[in-house]
Amino acid sequence: MNSDSANLPSYVATLLTAILWLAPGLLRADEPPPEPDYSSELPRIAPLTPAEAIGQFELADGFSIQLVAAEPLVTDPVAFAFDGRGQLWVVEMRDYSEQERERLGRVALLVDRDGDGRMDQRTTFVENLSWPTAIWPWLDGVLVAEPPNITWFRDTDGNGVSDHSEVWYSGFGRSNVQGLVNSLRWGVDGWIHGATSSTGAQLESPVGGQRVDLGRRDFALDPLSKRLRAESGGGQHGMSFNRWGDKFVTSNSDHLQQIIDLESWLTGRSMTVPMPAVRRSIAEDGPQAEVYRASPVEPWRIVRTRLRMSGEVPGIVEGGGRAAGYFTGATGTWIMDHERGFGIDASMDTALVCDVGSNLVHRKRLIDQGLFWTAQRIDQQTELLRSRDIWFRPVQLGDGPDGALYIADMYREVIEHPQSLPPVIKKHLDLTSGRDRGRIWRITNAATPHTPYPNLTALNDQGLVERLQSEIAWQRLMASQLIVERHKLQRLDERIGRWLGDCAADSPRAESRLLALWLLERLGKWGSDLAGQAIQQPHPRVQAQAIEMIALTGNAAAVSRSAQQIAERCSDARVQLALVKLATELDSGGRQDILAAVMPHVTQPLVQASLAMAAGPDSWQLLQSAKAADMPDPTYRNWLRLLLPGWVASVPKNPHLLDFIKHSLTADTPRHRLWLSALAELPSHASAAQVLDLTGTQIAIDDHVDQALQRSPSGNAIELLGLTSTAVQTKWLDALLRKSSTEAQQTMTIQSLSWANHPQLSEKLVQQFRSFTPALQSVALRALSARPERLAVLAAALESQQIARSQIPPELRQQLLAQRDQVLVARLTKVLTQVVTDRAGTIQHYQSALASLESASGQTQAERLEAGQAIFQRACAQCHRLGEIGNDVGPPLRQLSDKSPDQLLVAILDPSQEVDPKYAAYNILTDDGVVITGLIVQETGSQIVIAEAGGKQTTLDRQSIEQIQSSGQSLMPNGLEEQITIEQMGQLIEFLKHRN
């Protein structure tokens, strides 16, 4: 002790001494606990030489694999393309994944000098790039996607090194290293197509001044004019086309999707018609299908999954707690023609998909279903190609001059988004390991071995036209590109139009005729004579695109009669869609003739919606035609529901339409009932009221519905109650809501009068709420929250406890708290946010449910499963489908049997712990004050489609939207425990596991 403390009283000195002794311990108590050390579980794994790696491959019978290039000739290949000379251009993304500022990316030019199929010469064409991702050769250089730019790098002196660059477009996003622009491809239409991916793009062209807000839409680039157009998109990494130009994409956990591009055609058109999704998952075994890897699961995946399951680190627990065995890293797709021998059916093309995380290439046969394809697994319990070496990282696929399949193998120890790696794991890994390695492989079928790469640039123009008829897709497309390049350079033989015309008319290969027709369009050689010949193409795939070319080239009027004749007997959905597009290029009479002719044959929803949109304000003539008179009632009603919303705005300005509607609404017309039902299904009551007012039919409909209800208050009559005047609605309101009415009658009454916005409905629903069944209470709550002016009534009912807080479903609670009226939100917040926020405590409290799975109240398993199903239908089926029960809004409930009861409990009680972005809820505020909460399932430049709980999909014109805001939460929010007891939770979990 020092001298100062010696003068203090003894008890003070003793206390100071104790503090001094304890201080180090007290300070240590405030320090965070030491971080767990997983180094013993995370050993580094050594790479293999190319010679060693090739021995680790397992291939399907009849296939062989050869090395095309390896380090040091190539490193970190992520994209590649052969040019017309047979040279191989490779993008090297050496700065993956966290070295974006180091500009390590390069473009390499590889050449096979001795013709043995293995590259033996390298030139570094471009370097000093940041995160380059895609490439396509053009003229004396290559177009490279190096976000934020697409740049044309040229070699003007022929030394194999770029000496000139030109940025064509700038503005591609860079916020996610695994969501960058990718997959530049030459299309059958003679444009270069690309995938924008999840980081989106707002583009500006320094060379042309064009600005395009792509968002997450894809794009097509015209290399002749440098003009860019938006296309329907949405994939993450990997995009390709089949021989007809159908587009396929991949995303990490949704390994094969198809996109039908309607973006350009939809731009500027009326959005009164809800369009079905143009992007669809097509794998029969589901988006996140099983894969059968040969490699051991990486130790870091095993540790991460264990830590996620225990809650020690955040993250989505996928695959029922399995670290692997399903698609998690689908990074590229390619479609091989049936002639190349990659399938097992000589008539079906094959879709190939990489899974970079599982060290394999998967394949599926493609089955034509009309507009869309379905994809069916070929290899059972194995894959086309898989490696026992976890360093094998197939990131992109493509074909080559010999028709073989080529694979870009990044060859990395770890491929994973850095943000998906918890720090306690990441610190033991080296995300740059393998930056000095990389391979390109070739797979061939025994029946189609490798042949030397041809130099197509040595062919004359007639030779290129002949090569359009090659059995190898790469050679057909490269011949097409070289013809376009020579057109750009003004070096084409003047006889090229005749040669292409002969190919389009006479080639035995339909794909070749298609390419020839598109080339004639690119060269500006279309006219009425060619249009008349092209529309008669015998193959439906060629005919469909020929019809689109006719519309594109301004020759629609010349073939309108032929188009109508085709429409009258057409059963092919793609030809039907093309005819719809062609019809919009004609005058009103010609348009209606074609649409009326094709309408009876259309069954595909996407074609139906397109036809309804194309018909425009004169579409009423379609239902006035003789062909419509012969339609069955269900078909007629379907068309009426699609077309009627588009007529409302034009009724005041169109007396002929007004007369048609008025006549159809008279009681003695054959389809009077169908018309009334269609009116009652209009998006808004105001629209229906406007029609009734203009046609002067309100009194007649009042009498009709009133008399029908007096005879029998059936659902059909109640459905029409919303069309009647307020006086008639009030007359029947109490009678139809009384206890003696059936639940179906009460439900229909609430829905009909909610749509009609009856002024007394809110008060009536609150007064009778406690007498309603749970199902009817749900309907009443939806009605009370459907309009801004009803929310104050609902808030007052909650405050007075006429309606209990616990009776508000979690998804509705989320919608209510997203309203624009902040005073009202404050009232609702005070009432509704008393939900338990301690998720961990809630989960622990419900753990006892898991112990009661087999002994709940002495019930038999059959009784428990029946009870669990009832709970699922009440609490979960609004958003989830399980077999035939529920709605496809939230994530599919596949593989639930693999999840532990603990995992299921966490998913139910804490659904927002980790939200897949595509299942994050959005609150959309419309210009009339209505808030819609749901998932955005489709968006274009003109519209957004949002799926609400319950499965309802609403299509919104972007101009009608005041605000879009992501909640960052799951559509299934916290608070479900307020509706499910501990015993019921056990029953629900047992049902979920057993049902799968």
Side-chain angles (χ1 to χ4, degrees):
M1 294 182 66
N2 59 33
S3 58
D4 291 333
S5 62
N7 297 323
L8 294 174
S10 60
Y11 69 87
V12 176
T14 303
L15 178 62
L16 285 174
T17 302
I19 290 174
L20 289 172
W21 278 101
L22 292 172
L26 292 173
L27 292 174
R28 284 193 298 272
D30 292 336
E31 294 176 356
E35 192 175 71
D37 183 5
Y38 299 104
S39 58
S40 62
E41 297 184 71
L42 299 170
R44 298 292 299 279
I45 298 173
L48 303 178
T49 66
E52 293 170 332
I54 201 167
Q56 299 300 308
F57 286 121
E58 298 178 9
L59 281 128
D61 292 343
F63 292 90
S64 60
I65 188 167
Q66 303 90 34
L67 182 67
V68 176
E71 69 275 0
L73 206 65
V74 66
T75 57
D76 279 340
V78 297
F80 61 88
F82 286 91
D83 66 16
R85 293 179 174 83
Q87 302 175 127
L88 182 59
W89 298 86
V90 183
V91 168
E92 299 178 323
M93 193 179 183
R94 297 167 63 240
D95 42 5
Y96 176 88
S97 59
E98 296 182 295
Q99 286 73 50
E100 62 174 303
R101 297 183 180 180
E102 296 182 26
R103 304 192 70 84
L104 302 175
R106 302 184 299 204
V107 172
L109 176 59
L110 307 182
V111 179
D112 174 16
R113 291 177 299 180
D114 57 12
D116 67 350
R118 184 162 178 173
M119 300 296 163
D120 46 35
Q121 175 180 302
R122 172 202 170 94
T123 303
T124 299
F125 187 74
V126 182
E127 53 189 342
N128 197 36
L129 302 177
S130 175
W131 282 356
T133 51
I135 192 167
W136 196 261
W138 174 249
L139 293 176
D140 54 359
V142 284
L143 279 170
V144 178
E146 38 134 8
N149 303 327
I150 285 185
T151 305
W152 184 30
F153 294 99
R154 301 178 61 199
D155 171 18
T156 60
D157 58 12
N159 68 349
V161 178
S162 172
D163 51 38
H164 180 270
S165 65
E166 181 178 271
V167 175
W168 282 12
Y169 282 88
S170 185
F172 289 97
R174 290 175 57 90
S175 60
N176 180 354
V177 68
Q178 294 186 174
L180 304 173
V181 54
N182 63 91
S183 302
L184 296 179
R185 311 291 190 201
W186 185 263
V188 297
D189 59 355
W191 289 53
I192 297 171
H193 300 252
T196 300
S197 196
S198 59
T199 54
Q202 292 182 315
L203 299 181
E204 184 171 357
S205 173
V207 295
Q210 185 185 7
R211 294 185 178 185
V212 184
D213 184 0
L214 283 180
R216 295 185 180 183
R217 294 174 293 168
D218 289 347
F219 62 93
L221 181 59
D222 179 4
L224 296 177
S225 65
K226 301 174 186 175
R227 181 169 63 90
L228 181 144
R229 68 169 185 253
E231 293 191 322
S232 304
Q236 183 176 349
H237 187 93
M239 181 268 286
S240 65
F241 299 95
N242 66 4
R243 54 203 160 119
W244 308 114
D246 298 333
K247 181 176 180 178
F248 301 85
V249 299
T250 60
S251 294
N252 273 355
S253 298
D254 195 345
H255 69 285
L256 189 58
Q257 304 163 67
Q258 183 189 346
I259 296 172
I260 294 177
D261 179 42
L262 290 176
E263 186 64 37
S264 297
W265 184 76
L266 287 174
T267 300
R269 298 192 183 278
S270 167
M271 287 295 107
T272 56
V273 180
M275 294 295 294
V278 297
R279 177 164 61 106
R280 179 183 296 180
S281 295
I282 63 171
E284 287 188 355
D285 47 355
Q288 201 170 15
E290 297 287 300
V291 295
Y292 298 94
R293 61 188 294 167
S295 54
V297 180
E298 298 95 324
W300 63 264
R301 289 187 187 275
I302 296 171
V303 173
R304 184 181 66 177
T305 298
R306 187 182 76 232
L307 295 180
R308 283 180 172 179
M309 288 178 64
S310 67
E312 295 174 66
V313 301
I316 299 172
V317 180
E318 297 180 298
R322 295 180 299 159
Y326 46 89
F327 270 106
T328 60
T331 55
T333 185
W334 195 257
I335 311 301
M336 293 296 282
D337 287 0
H338 61 92
E339 295 171 304
R340 306 314 302 157
F342 274 76
I344 58 173
D345 188 312
S347 65
M348 293 183 181
D349 293 344
T350 304
L352 300 146
V353 184
C354 300
D355 190 328
V356 67
S358 297
N359 323 114
L360 57 85
V361 177
H362 175 83
R363 64 174 172 163
K364 282 182 159 71
R365 65 168 66 88
L366 288 174
I367 304 169
D368 195 353
Q369 303 287 0
L371 284 180
F372 288 94
W373 299 77
T374 57
Q376 189 178 79
R377 168 182 282 278
I378 291 177
D379 304 288
Q380 302 303 315
Q381 307 295 312
T382 186
E383 306 292 347
L384 170 68
L385 171 70
R386 56 184 186 174
S387 176
R388 294 183 292 275
D389 178 12
I390 68 166
W391 280 65
F392 173 57
R393 302 296 185 183
V395 294
Q396 193 60 278
L397 301 171
D399 63 353
D402 57 349
L405 177 71
Y406 288 77
I407 304 169
D409 173 9
M410 204 170 180
Y411 207 74
R412 287 278 189 129
E413 185 178 1
V414 178
I415 293 282
E416 184 67 13
H417 197 293
Q419 294 181 6
S420 295
L421 292 167
V424 294
I425 292 177
K426 185 179 177 182
K427 69 180 183 180
H428 298 293
L429 306 177
D430 180 2
L431 299 190
T432 68
S433 179
R435 192 167 67 184
D436 57 345
R437 300 173 185 271
R439 290 92 193 258
I440 295 176
W441 305 94
R442 174 179 54 244
I443 297 180
T444 55
N445 184 281
T448 56
H450 168 69
T451 55
Y453 303 130
N455 180 5
L456 298 190
T457 64
L459 298 176
N460 61 22
D461 295 347
Q462 188 172 16
L464 289 178
V465 174
E466 292 173 354
R467 198 57 65 106
L468 291 175
Q469 303 179 66
S470 170
E471 66 176 13
I472 296 175
W474 182 92
Q475 295 191 24
R476 296 196 300 267
L477 288 169
M478 183 50 65
S480 162
Q481 177 173 338
L482 292 175
I483 291 172
V484 174
E485 288 185 1
R486 292 179 187 181
H487 174 63
K488 172 70 174 178
L489 299 173
Q490 299 182 345
R491 296 177 182 173
L492 281 175
D493 191 301
E494 62 182 11
R495 295 169 291 180
I496 189 71
R498 175 164 58 85
W499 295 332
L500 288 172
D502 290 344
C503 179
D506 303 327
S507 175
R509 185 179 292 275
E511 305 95 304
S512 304
R513 299 199 300 272
L514 179 62
L515 285 172
L517 287 171
W518 273 116
L519 283 168
L520 288 166
E521 186 277 328
R522 296 295 276 139
L523 304 184
K525 295 185 178 297
W526 270 75
S528 57
D529 290 344
L530 178 58
Q533 297 170 10
I535 200 171
Q536 302 298 337
Q537 278 283 338
H539 196 290
R541 297 310 309 268
V542 184
Q543 185 180 47
Q545 294 196 49
I547 293 171
E548 296 203 27
M549 284 181 247
I550 291 168
L552 185 66
T553 56
N555 289 286
V559 299
S560 60
R561 179 58 186 158
S562 297
Q564 183 178 345
Q565 292 172 346
I566 293 170
E568 288 172 347
R569 60 180 186 275
C570 180
S571 60
D572 185 275
R574 297 183 180 95
V575 176
Q576 291 170 351
L577 184 58
L579 288 167
V580 167
K581 294 180 180 180
L582 177 75
T584 59
E585 302 299 318
L586 298 170
D587 59 25
S588 177
R591 179 174 66 248
Q592 299 303 321
D593 287 344
I594 292 177
L595 296 180
V598 76
M599 177 186 279
H601 310 295
V602 174
T603 58
Q604 287 270 1
L606 190 59
V607 184
Q608 291 174 336
S610 299
L611 189 151
M613 188 171 292
D618 294 331
S619 58
W620 61 274
Q621 297 175 10
L622 297 177
L623 291 186
Q624 194 184 40
S625 68
K627 291 183 175 63
D630 295 333
M631 287 182 185
D633 278 358
T635 304
Y636 184 95
R637 176 175 178 171
N638 185 41
W639 284 112
L640 183 58
R641 292 170 63 188
L642 278 171
L643 296 168
L644 183 58
W647 301 343
V648 174
S650 59
V651 169
K653 299 172 287 186
N654 191 331
H656 299 295
L657 171 59
L658 187 62
D659 289 343
F660 174 59
I661 296 177
K662 183 176 182 179
H663 170 74
S664 301
L665 289 175
T666 57
D668 58 349
T669 54
R671 284 170 165 158
H672 174 247
R673 178 68 182 77
L674 300 182
W675 273 84
L676 292 180
S677 295
L679 272 179
E681 293 172 0
L682 282 172
S684 74
H685 177 263
S687 297
Q690 178 187 7
V691 171
L692 296 176
D693 181 58
L694 290 170
T695 57
T697 55
Q698 182 68 72
I699 295 175
I701 289 175
D702 279 359
D703 291 342
H704 173 81
V705 175
D706 187 52
Q707 292 172 18
L709 288 171
Q710 289 181 38
R711 289 192 299 270
S712 173
S714 65
N716 289 338
I718 298 173
E719 176 193 23
L720 305 178
L721 184 61
L723 293 175
T724 63
S725 64
T726 301
V728 175
Q729 294 170 10
T730 303
K731 172 183 175 181
W732 287 96
L733 176 58
D734 287 332
L736 293 173
L737 284 182
R738 63 192 175 195
K739 295 179 182 179
S740 59
S741 297
T742 67
E743 187 172 292
Q745 291 171 335
Q746 292 172 311
T747 297
M748 185 67 71
T749 301
I750 295 172
Q751 292 172 339
S752 183
L753 296 186
S754 174
W755 175 78
N757 202 18
H758 188 276
Q760 300 175 18
L761 180 64
S762 299
E763 287 75 12
K764 293 289 184 182
L765 293 180
V766 171
Q767 291 169 11
Q768 297 183 224
F769 191 82
R770 293 183 178 178
S771 67
F772 291 158
T773 64
L776 199 57
Q777 286 180 346
S778 178
V779 175
L781 289 171
R782 292 290 168 193
L784 287 168
S785 59
R787 299 289 307 172
E789 58 269 25
R790 299 180 199 160
L791 292 175
V793 177
L794 177 57
L798 287 165
E799 291 166 340
S800 66
Q801 298 186 12
Q802 289 176 283
I803 297 176
R805 169 175 55 86
S806 61
Q807 292 174 305
I808 305 297
E811 71 276 5
L812 180 56
R813 179 186 300 120
Q814 184 167 294
Q815 177 182 330
L816 292 174
L817 297 180
Q819 301 298 315
R820 180 168 56 176
D821 185 336
Q822 293 305 304
V823 175
L824 184 60
V825 168
R827 292 175 61 190
L828 291 168
T829 299
K830 185 176 181 181
V831 178
L832 295 176
T833 55
Q834 299 172 27
V835 179
V836 177
T837 57
D838 178 12
R839 294 293 95 196
T842 301
I843 292 169
Q844 184 177 5
H845 177 66
Y846 270 75
Q847 288 291 332
S848 60
L850 306 182
S852 65
L853 293 183
E854 296 182 1
S855 59
S857 303
Q859 293 176 314
T860 65
Q861 184 184 49
E863 290 171 334
R864 294 195 304 274
L865 293 176
E866 183 179 357
Q869 177 173 323
I871 297 163
F872 177 83
Q873 289 175 308
R874 171 170 60 84
C876 310
Q878 287 283 320
C879 294
H880 296 285
R881 178 181 295 277
L882 201 53
E884 300 302 317
I885 306 171
N887 296 287
D888 293 312
V889 180
L893 301 182
R894 298 182 65 248
Q895 300 176 329
L896 289 184
S897 58
D898 295 326
K899 287 185 177 290
S900 69
D902 288 291
Q903 290 173 317
L904 287 171
L905 187 66
V906 172
I908 293 169
L909 294 179
D910 195 5
S912 294
Q913 183 183 89
E914 195 73 25
V915 184
D916 187 328
K918 64 184 175 183
Y919 294 117
Y922 279 79
N923 300 313
I924 297 183
L925 176 66
T926 66
D927 53 14
D928 60 355
V930 175
V931 174
I932 302 173
T933 298
L935 307 180
I936 294 178
V937 294
Q938 178 172 307
E939 59 177 315
T940 68
S942 304
Q943 72 175 19
I944 285 178
V945 180
I946 187 164
E948 302 175 68
K952 178 185 177 183
Q953 290 197 359
T954 302
T955 301
L956 298 172
D957 188 330
R958 284 186 182 270
Q959 295 181 351
S960 71
I961 297 173
E962 185 171 319
Q963 185 180 41
I964 302 177
Q965 186 174 12
S966 173
S967 68
Q969 301 290 309
S970 167
L971 184 60
M972 173 184 168
N974 297 335
L976 195 63
E977 66 273 11
E978 291 201 340
Q979 298 186 337
I980 300 180
T981 66
I982 289 178
E983 181 180 349
Q984 290 171 337
M985 183 66 76
Q987 294 165 339
L988 174 61
I989 290 175
E990 184 171 12
F991 168 72
L992 292 175
K993 288 186 63 63
H994 185 272
R995 187 65 176 78
N996 275 263

